[in-house]
């Protein structure tokens, strides 16, 4: 009884501030203090859809999404060499597009196409051709079209000169229509009418003096492959002849 009284007095004097500090009957267990855990809130990031744990009074940290890399679309440009000539004509096309295209689509205007960057194309037939090119990369695409860009002329053979003349007019001076019938075809003509007159037209008209005479007419024709010449006559005052 004496020892119990001393223990009660000691607790009062010391003022122990421990929750649940009470006297227990002899043989009871030691009192314990249990901490209540703080509630945990689950926050869902709308950027990554990944749950982020946080505790009350703190700001949740959302993982950053890495920026998406991109490049601007190209500006399509091209050139060609040569752009004219006789068939078959081989043309070298050069891509001048930028920045950094990685795909190409060519249309050469003769139902032929290519996906090369710098293609070489041969035109078999004469004509004028419109060429277009589309340049692309991951940023987009662009196109350029050049209308009637390639001109292909027929291949020439050495010409063969020949001509005819319509009968002269009845009235004097005598007027004659000359007609070129040369093969090749020629690209240049030179006529000498025998009376000092001349012409560089393909089908000239020429008037002769009002006198009976025979005139020697010469036609010279040429093209890039060569030249040819022929001579005929016209006669007035008697039977006209060509």
């Amino acid at each position: 009884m004496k020892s119990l009284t001393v223990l009660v007095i000691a607790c009062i004097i010391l003022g122990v501030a421990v929750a649940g500090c009470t006297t227990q009957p002899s043989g009871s267990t030691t009192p314990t203090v249990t901490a209540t855990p703080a509630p945990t809130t689950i926050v869902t990031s709308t950027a990554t859809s990944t749950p982020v744990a946080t505790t009350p009074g703190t700001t949740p940290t959302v993982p950053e999404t890495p920026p998406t890399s991109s490049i601007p679309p190209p500006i399509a440009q091209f050139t060609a060499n040569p752009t004219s000539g006789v068939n078959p004509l081989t043309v070298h096309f050069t891509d001048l597009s930028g920045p950094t295209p990685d795909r190409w689509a060519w249309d050469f205007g003769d139902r032929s196409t290519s996906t090369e960057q710098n293609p070489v194309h041969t035109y078999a037939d004469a004509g004028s051709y419109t060429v277009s090119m589309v340049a692309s990369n991951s940023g987009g695409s662009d196109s350029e079209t050049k209308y009637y860009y390639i001109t292909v002329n027929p291949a020439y053979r050495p010409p063969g000169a020949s001509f005819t003349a319509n009968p002269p007019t009845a009235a004097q001076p005598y007027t004659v229509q000359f007609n070129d019938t040369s093969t090749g075809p020629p690209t240049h003509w030179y006529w000498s009418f025998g009376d000092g007159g001349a012409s560089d037209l393909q089908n000239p008209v020429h008037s002769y003096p009002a006198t009976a005479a025979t005139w020697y007419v010469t036609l010279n024709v040429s093209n890039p492959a060569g030249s040819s010449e022929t001579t005929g006559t016209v006669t007035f005052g008697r039977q006209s002849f060509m």
Side-chain angles (χ1 to χ4, degrees), residues 20 144 191:
E144 181 176 36
W191 298 82

Side-chain angles (χ1 to χ4, degrees), residues 16-125:
V16 178
V18 178
C21 180
T22 59
T23 59
Q24 298 292 335
S26 177
S28 62
T29 59
T30 303
T32 60
V33 178
T34 302
T36 303
T40 299
T41 303
I42 301 299
V43 178
T44 300
S45 167
T46 58
T48 63
S49 298
T50 302
V52 179
T54 182
T55 56
T58 63
T59 302
T61 301
V62 179
E64 295 183 0
T65 302
T68 303
S69 61
S70 63
I71 60 175
I75 298 175
Q77 291 181 313
F78 69 89
T79 187
N81 185 53
T83 57
S84 64
V86 299
N87 65 327
L89 179 66
T90 299
V91 181
H92 296 256
F93 292 91
T94 302
D95 169 49
L96 300 177
S97 306
T100 60
D102 54 22
R103 297 183 302 280
W104 300 266
W106 294 84
D107 186 334
F108 301 118
D110 63 348
R111 300 182 181 179
S112 298
T113 60
S114 176
T115 57
E116 297 180 12
Q117 181 178 8
N118 300 305
V120 177
H121 181 64
T122 298
Y123 291 90
D125 300 322

Side-chain angles (χ1 to χ4, degrees), residues 39-234:
T40 299
T41 303
I42 301 299
V43 178
T44 300
S45 167
T46 58
T48 63
S49 298
T50 302
V52 179
T54 182
T55 56
T58 63
T59 302
T61 301
V62 179
E64 295 183 0
T65 302
T68 303
S69 61
S70 63
I71 60 175
I75 298 175
Q77 291 181 313
F78 69 89
T79 187
N81 185 53
T83 57
S84 64
V86 299
N87 65 327
L89 179 66
T90 299
V91 181
H92 296 256
F93 292 91
T94 302
D95 169 49
L96 300 177
S97 306
T100 60
D102 54 22
R103 297 183 302 280
W104 300 266
W106 294 84
D107 186 334
F108 301 118
D110 63 348
R111 300 182 181 179
S112 298
T113 60
S114 176
T115 57
E116 297 180 12
Q117 181 178 8
N118 300 305
V120 177
H121 181 64
T122 298
Y123 291 90
D125 300 322
S128 295
Y129 297 93
T130 295
V131 181
S132 63
M133 185 267 287
V134 179
S136 306
N137 60 21
S138 60
S141 62
D142 187 35
S143 64
E144 181 176 36
T145 299
K146 295 187 177 183
Y147 295 94
Y148 310 109
Y149 185 47
I150 305 297
T151 300
V152 183
N153 298 310
Y156 292 105
R157 296 172 293 134
S162 65
F163 68 92
T164 62
N166 294 340
T169 58
Q172 297 179 357
Y174 302 111
T175 301
V176 180
Q177 168 73 61
F178 292 94
N179 301 298
D180 170 50
T181 57
S182 304
T183 60
T187 56
H188 297 88
W189 299 263
Y190 183 79
W191 298 82
S192 176
F193 299 117
D195 62 350
S199 175
D200 60 1
L201 299 177
Q202 181 178 7
N203 300 301
V205 175
H206 183 68
S207 295
Y208 286 92
T211 182
T214 296
W215 307 98
Y216 289 88
V217 180
T218 299
L219 170 63
N220 183 286
V221 294
S222 63
N223 65 22
S227 63
S228 178
E229 185 175 284
T230 188
T231 300
T233 60
V234 291

Side-chain angles (χ1 to χ4, degrees), residues 6-27:
V6 173
L7 176 61
V8 171
I9 294 173
C11 287
I12 296 173
I13 294 174
L14 294 175
V16 178
V18 178
C21 180
T22 59
T23 59
Q24 298 292 335
S26 177

